Amino acid sequence: GKAEGASISAQIGKEQAISDIQATVDAVKDAGKVAIVGYCWGSDLAYAAANKVNGIACVIGYDGSQAVADYREKRKVPTLLHFCENDPELSMEA
């Protein structure tokens, strides 16, 4: 569940995940435009990738709490974020 996922994401780390995303984009970019879609931590990574990964056309994220903490920096590619109205971990005020 959630605790296991948090443990795995902590082991991988954000910088390694962004590096892996860049490698993936580089591997497939010749096929056409690349978009990144992420959920939860994946949403946070997609949001960060909008400024850190080269070769992406856009990013879409669902329920990424880190995006809320990092929203002041303008994204370099079109970015669409979705949040739950009644998320127990992320208030509407945030």
Side-chain angles (χ1 to χ4, degrees):
K2 187 174 179 176
E4 183 180 1
S7 174
I8 292 169
S9 65
Q11 289 173 17
I12 296 169
K14 182 177 177 180
E15 293 308 314
Q16 181 61 52
I18 293 295
S19 177
D20 291 346
I21 291 168
Q22 183 66 68
T24 303
V25 170
D26 292 343
V28 301
K29 66 184 176 187
D30 291 339
K33 291 184 179 182
V34 177
I36 298 173
V37 178
Y39 297 85
C40 196
W41 188 50
S43 177
D44 295 336
L45 293 174
Y47 189 73
N51 279 358
K52 295 179 184 251
V53 173
N54 297 314
I56 55 175
C58 66
V59 300
I60 303 101
Y62 294 85
D63 291 322
S65 59
Q66 188 60 41
V68 172
D70 188 31
Y71 76 93
R72 287 182 174 88
E73 185 179 355
K74 183 175 170 53
R75 302 295 100 181
K76 294 179 181 176
V77 299
T79 303
L80 177 63
L81 300 175
H82 301 270
F83 298 95
C84 296
E85 185 174 356
N86 296 312
D87 188 334
E89 296 182 27
L90 188 61
S91 69
M92 283 298 277
E93 292 78 24

Coordinates of all heavy atoms in Angstrom, one line a residue:
G1 N 0.8 -1.2 0.0 CA 0.0 0.0 0.0 C 0.8 1.3 0.0 O 2.0 1.3 -0.5
K2 N 0.3 2.2 0.6 CA 0.9 3.6 0.6 C 2.2 3.6 1.3 O 3.2 4.2 0.8 CB -0.1 4.5 1.3 CG 0.4 5.9 1.2 CD -0.7 6.9 1.7 CE -0.2 8.3 1.6 NZ -1.2 9.2 2.0
A3 N 2.4 2.9 2.4 CA 3.7 2.9 3.1 C 4.8 2.3 2.3 O 5.9 2.8 2.3 CB 3.5 2.2 4.5
E4 N 4.4 1.2 1.6 CA 5.4 0.5 0.8 C 5.8 1.4 -0.4 O 7.0 1.5 -0.7 CB 4.8 -0.8 0.2 CG 5.8 -1.6 -0.6 CD 5.2 -2.9 -1.1 OE1 4.1 -3.2 -0.9 OE2 6.0 -3.6 -1.8
G5 N 4.8 2.1 -1.0 CA 5.1 3.0 -2.1 C 6.0 4.2 -1.6 O 6.9 4.6 -2.3
A6 N 5.7 4.7 -0.4 CA 6.6 5.8 0.1 C 8.0 5.3 0.3 O 9.0 6.1 0.1 CB 6.0 6.3 1.4
S7 N 8.1 4.1 0.8 CA 9.5 3.5 1.0 C 10.2 3.4 -0.3 O 11.4 3.7 -0.4 CB 9.3 2.2 1.7 OG 10.6 1.6 1.9
I8 N 9.5 2.9 -1.3 CA 10.2 2.7 -2.6 C 10.6 4.0 -3.2 O 11.7 4.2 -3.7 CB 9.2 1.9 -3.5 CG1 9.1 0.5 -3.1 CG2 9.8 1.9 -5.0 CD1 8.0 -0.3 -3.7
S9 N 9.7 5.0 -3.1 CA 10.0 6.3 -3.7 C 11.2 7.0 -3.0 O 12.0 7.6 -3.6 CB 8.8 7.3 -3.7 OG 8.4 7.6 -2.4
A10 N 11.3 6.8 -1.6 CA 12.4 7.3 -0.9 C 13.7 6.6 -1.3 O 14.8 7.3 -1.3 CB 12.1 7.1 0.6
Q11 N 13.6 5.3 -1.6 CA 14.9 4.6 -2.0 C 15.3 5.1 -3.3 O 16.5 5.2 -3.6 CB 14.6 3.1 -2.0 CG 14.4 2.4 -0.7 CD 14.0 1.0 -0.8 OE1 14.1 0.4 -1.9 NE2 13.5 0.4 0.2
I12 N 14.4 5.3 -4.2 CA 14.8 5.8 -5.6 C 15.3 7.2 -5.6 O 16.3 7.5 -6.1 CB 13.6 5.6 -6.6 CG1 13.2 4.1 -6.7 CG2 13.9 6.2 -7.9 CD1 11.9 3.9 -7.4
G13 N 14.5 8.1 -4.9 CA 14.8 9.5 -4.9 C 14.4 10.2 -6.1 O 14.3 9.7 -7.2
K14 N 14.1 11.5 -5.9 CA 13.6 12.3 -7.0 C 14.6 12.5 -8.1 O 14.2 12.4 -9.3 CB 13.2 13.7 -6.4 CG 12.6 14.6 -7.4 CD 12.1 15.9 -6.7 CE 11.6 16.9 -7.7 NZ 11.2 18.2 -7.1
E15 N 15.8 12.8 -7.7 CA 16.8 13.1 -8.8 C 17.1 11.8 -9.7 O 17.2 11.9 -10.9 CB 18.1 13.6 -8.2 CG 18.0 14.9 -7.6 CD 17.4 16.0 -8.5 OE1 17.8 16.1 -9.7 OE2 16.5 16.7 -8.0
Q16 N 17.1 10.6 -9.1 CA 17.3 9.4 -9.9 C 16.1 9.2 -10.7 O 16.2 8.8 -11.9 CB 17.5 8.2 -9.0 CG 17.7 6.9 -9.7 CD 18.9 6.9 -10.6 OE1 20.0 7.2 -10.2 NE2 18.7 6.6 -11.9
A17 N 14.9 9.4 -10.2 CA 13.6 9.3 -11.0 C 13.6 10.2 -12.2 O 13.3 9.8 -13.3 CB 12.4 9.5 -10.1
I18 N 14.0 11.5 -12.0 CA 14.1 12.5 -13.1 C 15.1 12.0 -14.1 O 14.9 12.1 -15.3 CB 14.4 13.9 -12.5 CG1 13.2 14.4 -11.7 CG2 14.7 14.8 -13.7 CD1 11.9 14.6 -12.4
S19 N 16.2 11.5 -13.7 CA 17.2 11.0 -14.6 C 16.7 9.8 -15.4 O 16.9 9.7 -16.6 CB 18.5 10.5 -13.8 OG 19.4 10.0 -14.6
D20 N 15.9 8.9 -14.8 CA 15.3 7.8 -15.5 C 14.3 8.3 -16.5 O 14.2 7.7 -17.6 CB 14.7 6.8 -14.5 CG 15.7 6.1 -13.6 OD1 16.9 6.1 -13.9 OD2 15.3 5.5 -12.6
I21 N 13.5 9.3 -16.1 CA 12.5 9.9 -17.0 C 13.2 10.5 -18.2 O 12.8 10.3 -19.4 CB 11.6 10.9 -16.3 CG1 10.7 10.2 -15.3 CG2 10.8 11.7 -17.3 CD1 10.0 11.2 -14.3
Q22 N 14.3 11.2 -18.0 CA 15.1 11.8 -19.1 C 15.6 10.6 -20.1 O 15.5 10.8 -21.3 CB 16.3 12.6 -18.6 CG 17.0 13.3 -19.8 CD 16.2 14.3 -20.5 OE1 15.9 15.3 -19.9 NE2 15.9 14.1 -21.8
A23 N 16.1 9.6 -19.5 CA 16.6 8.5 -20.3 C 15.5 7.8 -21.1 O 15.7 7.5 -22.3 CB 17.3 7.4 -19.4
T24 N 14.3 7.7 -20.5 CA 13.2 7.2 -21.2 C 12.7 8.1 -22.3 O 12.5 7.6 -23.5 CB 12.0 6.9 -20.2 OG1 12.4 6.1 -19.2 CG2 10.8 6.3 -20.9
V25 N 12.6 9.4 -22.1 CA 12.3 10.3 -23.1 C 13.3 10.2 -24.3 O 12.9 10.2 -25.5 CB 12.2 11.7 -22.6 CG1 12.0 12.8 -23.7 CG2 11.0 11.8 -21.6
D26 N 14.6 10.2 -24.0 CA 15.6 10.1 -25.0 C 15.4 8.8 -25.8 O 15.7 8.9 -27.0 CB 17.0 10.1 -24.4 CG 17.3 11.5 -23.8 OD1 16.6 12.5 -24.1 OD2 18.3 11.5 -22.9
A27 N 15.0 7.8 -25.2 CA 14.9 6.5 -25.9 C 13.7 6.5 -26.9 O 13.7 5.7 -27.8 CB 14.7 5.3 -24.9
V28 N 12.6 7.2 -26.6 CA 11.4 7.2 -27.4 C 11.1 8.4 -28.2 O 10.2 8.4 -29.0 CB 10.2 6.8 -26.5 CG1 10.4 5.5 -25.8 CG2 9.9 7.9 -25.6
K29 N 11.9 9.5 -28.1 CA 11.5 10.7 -28.7 C 11.5 10.7 -30.2 O 10.8 11.5 -30.8 CB 12.5 11.9 -28.2 CG 13.9 11.7 -28.6 CD 14.7 12.8 -28.0 CE 16.2 12.6 -28.4 NZ 17.0 13.5 -27.6
D30 N 12.2 9.8 -30.8 CA 12.1 9.7 -32.3 C 10.8 9.2 -32.8 O 10.5 9.3 -34.0 CB 13.3 8.8 -32.8 CG 14.6 9.4 -32.6 OD1 14.7 10.7 -32.5 OD2 15.6 8.7 -32.6
A31 N 10.0 8.6 -31.9 CA 8.7 8.1 -32.3 C 7.6 9.2 -32.4 O 6.5 9.0 -33.0 CB 8.2 7.1 -31.3
G32 N 7.9 10.4 -31.9 CA 7.0 11.5 -32.0 C 7.0 12.3 -30.6 O 7.9 12.1 -29.8
K33 N 6.0 13.1 -30.4 CA 5.9 13.9 -29.2 C 5.8 13.0 -28.0 O 5.1 12.0 -28.1 CB 4.8 14.9 -29.3 CG 5.0 16.0 -30.3 CD 3.9 17.0 -30.3 CE 4.1 18.1 -31.3 NZ 3.1 19.2 -31.2
V34 N 6.4 13.5 -26.9 CA 6.3 12.7 -25.7 C 5.6 13.5 -24.6 O 6.0 14.7 -24.4 CB 7.7 12.3 -25.2 CG1 7.7 11.6 -23.8 CG2 8.5 11.5 -26.2
A35 N 4.6 12.9 -24.0 CA 3.9 13.5 -22.8 C 4.2 12.6 -21.6 O 4.4 11.4 -21.7 CB 2.4 13.6 -23.1
I36 N 4.1 13.2 -20.4 CA 4.3 12.5 -19.2 C 3.0 12.6 -18.4 O 2.5 13.7 -18.2 CB 5.5 13.0 -18.4 CG1 6.8 12.8 -19.2 CG2 5.6 12.3 -17.0 CD1 8.0 13.5 -18.5
V37 N 2.5 11.5 -18.0 CA 1.3 11.4 -17.1 C 1.7 10.7 -15.8 O 2.3 9.7 -15.8 CB 0.1 10.7 -17.8 CG1 -1.1 10.6 -16.8 CG2 -0.2 11.3 -19.1
G38 N 1.3 11.3 -14.7 CA 1.7 10.7 -13.4 C 0.6 10.9 -12.4 O -0.2 11.8 -12.4
Y39 N 0.6 9.9 -11.5 CA -0.4 9.9 -10.4 C 0.4 9.8 -9.1 O 1.3 9.1 -8.9 CB -1.3 8.6 -10.5 CG -2.1 8.6 -11.7 CD1 -1.6 8.1 -12.9 CD2 -3.4 9.1 -11.7 CE1 -2.3 8.1 -14.1 CE2 -4.2 9.1 -12.9 CZ -3.6 8.6 -14.1 OH -4.3 8.6 -15.2
C40 N -0.1 10.6 -8.1 CA 0.5 10.7 -6.8 C 2.0 11.1 -6.9 O 2.3 12.2 -7.4 CB 0.4 9.4 -6.0 SG 0.6 9.5 -4.3
W41 N 3.0 10.3 -6.5 CA 4.4 10.7 -6.6 C 4.7 10.8 -8.1 O 5.5 11.7 -8.5 CB 5.3 9.6 -6.0 CG 6.7 10.0 -6.0 CD1 7.3 11.2 -5.5 CD2 7.9 9.2 -6.4 NE1 8.6 11.2 -5.6 CE2 9.0 10.0 -6.2 CE3 8.0 8.0 -7.0 CZ2 10.3 9.5 -6.5 CZ3 9.3 7.5 -7.3 CH2 10.4 8.3 -7.0
G42 N 4.1 10.1 -9.0 CA 4.3 10.2 -10.4 C 3.9 11.6 -10.9 O 4.5 12.2 -11.8
S43 N 2.8 12.1 -10.3 CA 2.4 13.5 -10.6 C 3.4 14.5 -10.2 O 3.7 15.5 -10.9 CB 1.1 13.8 -9.9 OG 0.6 15.1 -10.1
D44 N 4.0 14.3 -9.0 CA 5.1 15.2 -8.5 C 6.3 15.2 -9.5 O 6.9 16.2 -9.8 CB 5.5 14.8 -7.1 CG 4.4 15.0 -6.1 OD1 3.5 15.8 -6.3 OD2 4.5 14.4 -5.0
L45 N 6.6 14.0 -9.9 CA 7.7 13.8 -10.9 C 7.4 14.4 -12.2 O 8.2 15.1 -12.8 CB 8.1 12.3 -11.0 CG 8.6 11.6 -9.8 CD1 8.8 10.1 -10.1 CD2 9.9 12.3 -9.4
A46 N 6.2 14.2 -12.7 CA 5.8 14.8 -14.0 C 5.9 16.4 -13.9 O 6.4 17.0 -14.8 CB 4.3 14.4 -14.3
Y47 N 5.4 16.9 -12.8 CA 5.5 18.4 -12.6 C 6.9 18.9 -12.6 O 7.2 19.8 -13.2 CB 4.8 18.7 -11.2 CG 4.5 20.2 -11.0 CD1 3.6 20.9 -11.8 CD2 5.3 20.9 -10.1 CE1 3.4 22.2 -11.6 CE2 5.1 22.2 -9.9 CZ 4.1 22.9 -10.7 OH 3.9 24.3 -10.5
A48 N 7.8 18.1 -11.9 CA 9.2 18.5 -11.8 C 9.8 18.3 -13.2 O 10.7 19.2 -13.7 CB 10.0 17.7 -10.8
A49 N 9.4 17.3 -13.9 CA 10.0 17.0 -15.3 C 9.7 18.2 -16.2 O 10.4 18.4 -17.2 CB 9.4 15.7 -15.8
A50 N 8.6 18.9 -16.0 CA 8.2 20.0 -16.9 C 9.3 21.0 -17.0 O 9.4 21.7 -18.0 CB 6.9 20.6 -16.4
N51 N 10.2 21.1 -16.0 CA 11.3 22.0 -16.0 C 12.7 21.4 -16.1 O 13.6 22.0 -16.3 CB 11.2 22.9 -14.7 CG 10.3 24.1 -14.9 OD1 9.6 24.2 -15.9 ND2 10.1 24.9 -13.9
K52 N 12.7 20.1 -15.8 CA 14.0 19.4 -15.7 C 14.3 18.5 -16.9 O 15.5 18.1 -17.0 CB 14.1 18.7 -14.4 CG 14.1 19.6 -13.2 CD 14.2 18.9 -11.9 CE 14.0 19.8 -10.7 NZ 15.2 20.0 -10.0
V53 N 13.3 18.0 -17.6 CA 13.5 17.0 -18.6 C 13.4 17.6 -20.0 O 12.4 18.4 -20.3 CB 12.5 15.8 -18.5 CG1 12.6 14.9 -19.6 CG2 12.7 15.1 -17.1
N54 N 14.4 17.4 -20.9 CA 14.3 17.9 -22.2 C 13.6 16.9 -23.1 O 13.7 15.7 -23.0 CB 15.8 18.1 -22.7 CG 16.5 19.1 -21.9 OD1 16.0 20.2 -21.7 ND2 17.7 18.8 -21.6
G55 N 12.9 17.5 -24.1 CA 12.2 16.7 -25.1 C 10.8 16.3 -24.9 O 10.3 15.4 -25.6
I56 N 10.2 16.9 -23.9 CA 8.8 16.6 -23.6 C 7.9 17.7 -24.1 O 8.2 18.8 -24.1 CB 8.5 16.3 -22.1 CG1 8.9 17.4 -21.2 CG2 9.2 15.0 -21.7 CD1 8.5 17.3 -19.8
A57 N 6.7 17.3 -24.6 CA 5.7 18.2 -25.1 C 4.8 18.8 -24.0 O 4.4 20.0 -24.1 CB 4.9 17.5 -26.2
C58 N 4.4 18.0 -23.1 CA 3.5 18.5 -22.0 C 3.6 17.4 -20.9 O 4.0 16.3 -21.0 CB 2.1 18.7 -22.5 SG 1.3 17.1 -23.0
V59 N 3.0 17.9 -19.7 CA 2.9 16.9 -18.6 C 1.5 17.1 -18.0 O 0.8 18.1 -18.1 CB 3.9 17.2 -17.5 CG1 5.3 17.0 -18.0 CG2 3.8 18.5 -16.8
I60 N 1.0 15.9 -17.5 CA -0.3 15.9 -16.8 C -0.1 15.2 -15.5 O 0.5 14.1 -15.5 CB -1.4 15.1 -17.7 CG1 -1.5 15.8 -19.1 CG2 -2.7 15.1 -17.0 CD1 -0.8 15.0 -20.1
G61 N -0.7 15.7 -14.4 CA -0.5 15.1 -13.1 C -1.8 15.0 -12.4 O -2.7 15.9 -12.5
Y62 N -2.0 14.0 -11.6 CA -3.1 13.7 -10.7 C -2.7 13.6 -9.3 O -1.9 12.7 -9.0 CB -3.9 12.5 -11.2 CG -4.5 12.6 -12.6 CD1 -3.7 12.3 -13.7 CD2 -5.8 13.0 -12.7 CE1 -4.3 12.4 -15.0 CE2 -6.4 13.1 -14.0 CZ -5.6 12.8 -15.1 OH -6.1 12.9 -16.4
D63 N -3.2 14.5 -8.4 CA -3.0 14.4 -7.0 C -1.6 14.4 -6.5 O -1.2 13.7 -5.7 CB -3.8 13.2 -6.4 CG -5.3 13.3 -6.5 OD1 -5.7 14.4 -6.3 OD2 -5.9 12.3 -6.8
G64 N -0.8 15.3 -7.1 CA 0.6 15.4 -6.6 C 0.7 16.5 -5.6 O 0.6 17.7 -5.9
S65 N 1.0 16.2 -4.3 CA 1.1 17.2 -3.3 C 2.3 18.0 -3.4 O 2.3 19.2 -3.0 CB 1.0 16.5 -1.9 OG 2.1 15.6 -1.8
Q66 N 3.4 17.5 -3.9 CA 4.6 18.3 -4.1 C 4.4 19.5 -5.1 O 5.0 20.5 -5.0 CB 5.8 17.5 -4.5 CG 7.1 18.2 -4.4 CD 7.5 18.8 -3.1 OE1 7.3 18.1 -2.1 NE2 8.0 20.0 -3.0
A67 N 3.6 19.3 -6.1 CA 3.3 20.3 -7.0 C 2.7 21.5 -6.3 O 3.0 22.7 -6.7 CB 2.3 19.8 -8.1
V68 N 1.9 21.3 -5.3 CA 1.3 22.4 -4.6 C 2.4 23.2 -3.9 O 2.4 24.4 -3.8 CB 0.3 21.9 -3.5 CG1 -0.2 23.0 -2.6 CG2 -0.9 21.3 -4.2
A69 N 3.5 22.5 -3.3 CA 4.5 23.2 -2.6 C 5.5 23.9 -3.6 O 6.2 24.8 -3.2 CB 5.3 22.2 -1.8
D70 N 5.5 23.5 -4.9 CA 6.5 24.0 -5.9 C 5.8 24.8 -7.0 O 6.4 24.9 -8.1 CB 7.2 22.8 -6.4 CG 8.4 23.2 -7.3 OD1 9.0 24.2 -7.1 OD2 8.7 22.4 -8.2
Y71 N 4.6 25.3 -6.8 CA 3.9 25.9 -7.9 C 4.3 27.3 -8.3 O 4.0 27.7 -9.4 CB 2.4 26.0 -7.5 CG 2.1 27.2 -6.5 CD1 1.7 28.4 -7.0 CD2 2.2 27.0 -5.2 CE1 1.4 29.5 -6.2 CE2 1.9 28.1 -4.3 CZ 1.5 29.3 -4.8 OH 1.3 30.3 -4.0
R72 N 5.2 27.9 -7.6 CA 5.6 29.3 -8.0 C 6.5 29.4 -9.2 O 6.6 30.4 -9.8 CB 6.2 30.0 -6.8 CG 5.1 30.3 -5.7 CD 5.7 31.1 -4.5 NE 4.7 31.5 -3.6 CZ 4.2 30.8 -2.6 NH1 4.7 29.6 -2.4 NH2 3.3 31.3 -1.9
E73 N 7.2 28.4 -9.5 CA 8.1 28.4 -10.6 C 7.3 28.0 -11.9 O 6.7 27.0 -12.0 CB 9.2 27.3 -10.4 CG 10.3 27.4 -11.5 CD 11.4 26.4 -11.2 OE1 11.4 25.7 -10.2 OE2 12.3 26.2 -12.1
K74 N 7.4 28.9 -12.9 CA 6.7 28.7 -14.1 C 7.2 27.5 -14.8 O 8.4 27.2 -14.9 CB 6.8 29.9 -15.0 CG 6.1 29.9 -16.3 CD 6.2 31.2 -17.0 CE 5.7 31.2 -18.4 NZ 4.4 30.7 -18.7
R75 N 6.3 26.6 -15.3 CA 6.7 25.4 -16.1 C 7.2 25.8 -17.5 O 6.6 26.8 -18.1 CB 5.6 24.4 -16.2 CG 5.0 24.0 -14.9 CD 5.9 23.2 -14.0 NE 6.5 24.0 -13.0 CZ 7.4 23.7 -12.1 NH1 7.9 22.4 -12.1 NH2 7.9 24.5 -11.2
K76 N 8.1 25.0 -18.1 CA 8.6 25.3 -19.4 C 7.8 24.7 -20.5 O 7.9 25.0 -21.7 CB 10.1 24.8 -19.5 CG 11.0 25.6 -18.6 CD 12.4 25.0 -18.7 CE 13.3 25.8 -17.8 NZ 14.7 25.2 -17.8
V77 N 6.9 23.7 -20.2 CA 6.0 23.1 -21.1 C 4.6 23.2 -20.6 O 4.4 23.3 -19.4 CB 6.4 21.6 -21.4 CG1 7.8 21.6 -22.0 CG2 6.3 20.8 -20.2
P78 N 3.6 23.0 -21.4 CA 2.2 23.0 -20.9 C 2.0 22.0 -19.9 O 2.5 20.8 -20.0 CB 1.4 22.7 -22.2 CG 2.2 23.2 -23.3 CD 3.6 23.0 -22.9
T79 N 1.4 22.4 -18.8 CA 1.2 21.5 -17.6 C -0.3 21.5 -17.2 O -0.8 22.6 -17.0 CB 2.1 22.0 -16.5 OG1 3.5 22.0 -16.9 CG2 2.0 21.1 -15.3
L80 N -0.8 20.4 -17.0 CA -2.2 20.3 -16.5 C -2.2 19.4 -15.3 O -1.7 18.3 -15.3 CB -3.1 19.6 -17.6 CG -4.5 19.3 -17.2 CD1 -5.3 20.7 -17.0 CD2 -5.2 18.6 -18.3
L81 N -2.8 20.0 -14.2 CA -2.8 19.2 -12.9 C -4.3 19.0 -12.5 O -5.1 19.9 -12.7 CB -2.1 20.0 -11.8 CG -0.6 20.3 -12.1 CD1 0.0 21.1 -11.0 CD2 0.2 19.0 -12.2
H82 N -4.5 17.9 -11.9 CA -5.9 17.5 -11.4 C -5.7 17.2 -9.9 O -4.8 16.5 -9.5 CB -6.4 16.3 -12.1 CG -6.6 16.5 -13.6 ND1 -7.7 17.0 -14.2 CD2 -5.7 16.2 -14.6 CE1 -7.5 17.0 -15.5 NE2 -6.3 16.6 -15.8
F83 N -6.7 17.7 -9.1 CA -6.7 17.4 -7.7 C -8.1 17.0 -7.3 O -9.1 17.5 -7.8 CB -6.3 18.7 -6.9 CG -4.9 19.1 -7.2 CD1 -4.7 20.1 -8.1 CD2 -3.8 18.6 -6.5 CE1 -3.4 20.5 -8.4 CE2 -2.5 19.0 -6.8 CZ -2.3 20.0 -7.7
C84 N -8.2 16.1 -6.3 CA -9.5 15.7 -5.8 C -10.1 16.8 -4.9 O -9.4 17.6 -4.2 CB -9.3 14.5 -4.9 SG -8.7 13.0 -5.7
E85 N -11.4 17.0 -5.0 CA -12.1 18.0 -4.2 C -12.0 17.7 -2.7 O -11.9 18.6 -1.9 CB -13.5 18.1 -4.7 CG -14.2 19.3 -4.0 CD -15.6 19.5 -4.6 OE1 -16.0 18.8 -5.6 OE2 -16.3 20.3 -4.0
N86 N -12.1 16.4 -2.4 CA -12.1 16.0 -1.0 C -11.0 15.1 -0.6 O -11.1 14.0 -0.2 CB -13.5 15.3 -0.7 CG -14.6 16.2 -0.8 OD1 -14.6 17.3 -0.3 ND2 -15.6 15.7 -1.6
D87 N -9.8 15.6 -0.9 CA -8.5 14.8 -0.6 C -8.2 15.0 0.9 O -7.9 16.1 1.3 CB -7.4 15.3 -1.5 CG -6.2 14.5 -1.4 OD1 -6.0 13.8 -0.4 OD2 -5.4 14.5 -2.4
P88 N -8.1 13.9 1.6 CA -7.8 14.0 3.1 C -6.4 14.4 3.3 O -6.1 14.9 4.4 CB -8.1 12.6 3.6 CG -8.0 11.7 2.4 CD -8.4 12.5 1.2
E89 N -5.5 14.3 2.4 CA -4.1 14.7 2.6 C -3.7 16.1 2.0 O -2.6 16.6 2.2 CB -3.2 13.6 2.0 CG -3.4 12.3 2.7 CD -2.5 11.3 2.1 OE1 -1.4 11.6 1.6 OE2 -2.8 10.1 2.2
L90 N -4.6 16.7 1.2 CA -4.3 17.9 0.6 C -5.6 18.8 0.6 O -6.5 18.5 -0.1 CB -3.9 17.7 -0.9 CG -3.4 18.9 -1.7 CD1 -2.1 19.5 -1.0 CD2 -3.0 18.5 -3.1
S91 N -5.5 19.8 1.4 CA -6.7 20.7 1.6 C -7.0 21.5 0.4 O -6.0 21.8 -0.4 CB -6.6 21.6 2.8 OG -5.6 22.5 2.6
M92 N -8.2 22.0 0.2 CA -8.5 22.9 -0.9 C -7.8 24.2 -0.8 O -7.5 24.8 -1.7 CB -10.0 23.1 -1.0 CG -10.8 21.9 -1.6 SD -10.3 21.6 -3.3 CE -11.4 22.8 -4.1
E93 N -7.5 24.6 0.5 CA -6.8 25.9 0.7 C -5.4 25.8 0.1 O -4.9 26.8 -0.4 CB -6.8 26.2 2.2 CG -8.1 26.5 2.8 CD -9.0 25.3 3.1 OE1 -8.5 24.2 3.3 OE2 -10.2 25.5 3.1
A94 N -4.8 24.6 0.3 CA -3.4 24.4 -0.3 C -3.5 24.6 -1.8 O -2.6 25.1 -2.4 CB -2.9 23.1 0.1

